[in-house]
Amino acid sequence: MEKVIILDFGSQYTQLIARRVRENQVYSEIVPFNIKPAEIGDDVIALILSGGPGSVYDKTPYLPDPEIFELGRPILGICYGLQIITHLLGGKVAPATEKEYGFAVLSRVSYSPLFKGLPDNFRVWMSHGDKVLQIPQGFRVIGRTENSEFAAIEDSSRKIYGLQFHPEVVHTDFGGEIIRNFLYEISAAKGEWRLENYVETLIKNIKNQVGKNGVILALSGGVDSSVVATLLERAVGENFYPIFINTGLLKYGEEKRIEKYFGHLKNLRIVNAEQNFLNALRGIEDPERKRKIIGEKFIELFRDEALKLKDRIKFLAQGTLYPDVIESTPVVGPSETIKSHHNVGGLPDWLPFELLEPLRMLFKDEVREIGRILGMPKELIRRHPFPGPGFAIRIVGEVTQNRLDIVKRADVIIEEEIKRAGLYDELWQIFPVLLPIKTVGVMGDRRTYAFVVAIRAVYSVDGMTADWARLPYDLLAKISSRIVNEISGINRVVYDITSKPPATIEWE
C-alpha cells in the first residue's frame, strides 16, 4: 500500500499533517526526523518535512540525513522544513528582523502544480522566526508574502517543494488543496486508503496483540473509550473487562448512560470513587498537579481491579488520540509539551499491565467515522469531547464539592439550550468554566458577591486548531439568564472569544 511519511521535527501540527494526507485517501506515517534513507521502503511515494520550534543554526540542530534528497521521491518542506531544504541544499537562512506569526497574504509569482486551481492571492498562516535569504541553485520562487520573499519555492526537476507557511491548519485558505496537489499532481498518488479497511486492521491488530489475555478498559462513556469498547468487544469477546470509574468529576447521569449502552457486556464493572478523587484533590490548585493526581488515582484503581481478576488481565486499553499525544509528549520528534493528559505517558513502574491504545494514531473525526462504520448509536459517536480529568480542569483552582455542583449544573443548562437551538452537532465543544474569582452583583435589590462562569464554545475539525463560535446573542442571553437564576453562587457569565492558537480549547 502506498504511503507518505512525515519526518517529525517537533511541530505541534505534525499529526495534523498526517491527518490531512489521510483525509485525501493516502496512508501516512510519522517517522523520526533522522530516519535512515535505507529504512524508507519502496511503498513510500513522498516525504513531508514538518515544521518545528528549532533553527538550522542551533548548536545541535535537528536535521535529516541529506541523502533523502537523493532518493528521487517528491519532498515537501513546511516552515522549518523549508529552511532545512534551503540550508542543506546550499541556500541561506537567517533570523528574521520581523518574525511572522499569524495571517499573511501569499501572492503567486509563477505557475506551479502545487498551486494548481488556486487564486493568485490567498491567506496563509505563518509561524516562524528564521527567514530564507537565498534559495538553493535549481530552485525558483513560486509565492511570496510581504515579509517573506521566498514563502514558496520549488525545484520541479527534483520535485522538491518548500512552504514557509502551514497548509495543514484550517487558518490557511486552500491548504487542503495544496496538500492534495502535492499528493496527486506531484506524487502521483492513487488514493487507495480507506477507514473501512482500517477498522478491519484495528480489530486484527488487537487480536494479534492481546491473544487469549484479558483486557481492561477505562470506559468513560465518551466517544473515544466507547469506540475502543466496541472494538474490544468484537476483537476479544469475553476476555474484555470494561471498567467505569465514577470519579465524581464527570457529567451528570454518566453512570446511567454507561448502563444503557454497555450494560449488556458480561464483564462490565462500575466503581464508585467520587470521594477518593475529591480527597486527593483537596487544596490542589495547579492544573498540572490536578491532572497528575487524577491520572495516578485512575491507574491505582485500575490496578486494584486488575488484581481482583488475578491472572486474567494483561492489558489496559485506553482511548488515547493523536492530539492527546502531541500535546503531552513528543511522539517522534522534539516537540514541546503543552499540557499533560491523564492517559498519556508517565505511568508508574508498578503498573501490572501493558498499555493497549488502538486509536493512538487517529484524530477525533476519524474516530467518529470508525464508530459509524461499527454501527454505534449516533448519540454516542456525536458526543462532544470531554477531558479525562473531567470537571476538575474546568474549575480553575481548587476542586470542591460545591464548585463541582455549580459547574455541573451550568453544563446541563448549556447543553439543554444548545440542543434546543439545534446547534449541538455544529459545535466541536461547548462547556462552562468556573473561575476562582467573585464579583459584585445585584439580585432582588440586594448586593451579591458570587462566582463567575465563563462559557467556551468552539468550531473545529480535529481539536488541533479551533475558532470560537459566534453564537446568537439571544441564545447566549438565555443561557446566561438561566445560569444566574437557577444556580446559587453565580452572578456573572462571560464568553470566551479566543481561538486556538493562541489559546488551548480547555482552560487548564
Side-chain angles (χ1 to χ4, degrees), residues 251-268:
K251 287 174 172 283
Y252 276 136
E254 202 63 63
E255 185 172 328
K256 291 182 179 179
R257 277 186 284 269
I258 290 292
E259 292 173 342
K260 175 182 177 181
Y261 291 111
F262 299 102
H264 66 281
L265 296 177
K266 176 182 177 181
N267 298 322
L268 174 65

Side-chain angles (χ1 to χ4, degrees), residues 13 29 117 152 180 224 309 320 329 331 363 412 440 470:
Y13 303 137
E29 288 184 0
R180 184 172 182 81
D224 310 331
L309 297 169
T320 308
T329 56
V331 182
F363 288 91
V412 170
V440 174
R470 278 69 169 173

Side-chain angles (χ1 to χ4, degrees), residues 217-254:
L217 167 70
L219 180 59
S220 69
V223 177
D224 310 331
S225 68
S226 296
V227 170
V228 173
T230 305
L231 287 170
L232 289 173
E233 181 185 5
R234 299 191 182 187
V236 301
E238 292 190 355
N239 288 329
F240 170 41
Y241 296 82
I243 299 174
F244 171 70
I245 293 193
N246 189 351
T247 65
L249 307 173
L250 305 175
K251 287 174 172 283
Y252 276 136
E254 202 63 63

Side-chain angles (χ1 to χ4, degrees), residues 4-61:
V4 170
I5 60 172
I6 297 102
L7 277 64
D8 182 14
F9 292 92
S11 171
Q12 299 300 329
Y13 303 137
T14 299
Q15 273 71 15
L16 190 51
I17 301 171
R19 183 194 169 281
R20 295 288 180 249
V21 173
R22 278 185 268 162
E23 69 184 8
N24 279 289
Q25 287 75 56
V26 179
Y27 182 67
S28 62
E29 288 184 0
I30 297 169
V31 301
F33 68 90
N34 55 356
I35 185 174
K36 296 178 181 179
E39 297 174 344
I40 298 175
D42 294 337
D43 55 347
V44 175
I45 64 171
L47 292 74
I48 298 178
L49 312 184
S50 82
S55 168
V56 295
Y57 293 116
D58 285 341
K59 187 175 181 180
T60 54

Side-chain angles (χ1 to χ4, degrees), residues 22 88 91 140 197 385:
R22 278 185 268 162
L88 292 181
R140 64 174 186 145
N197 300 331

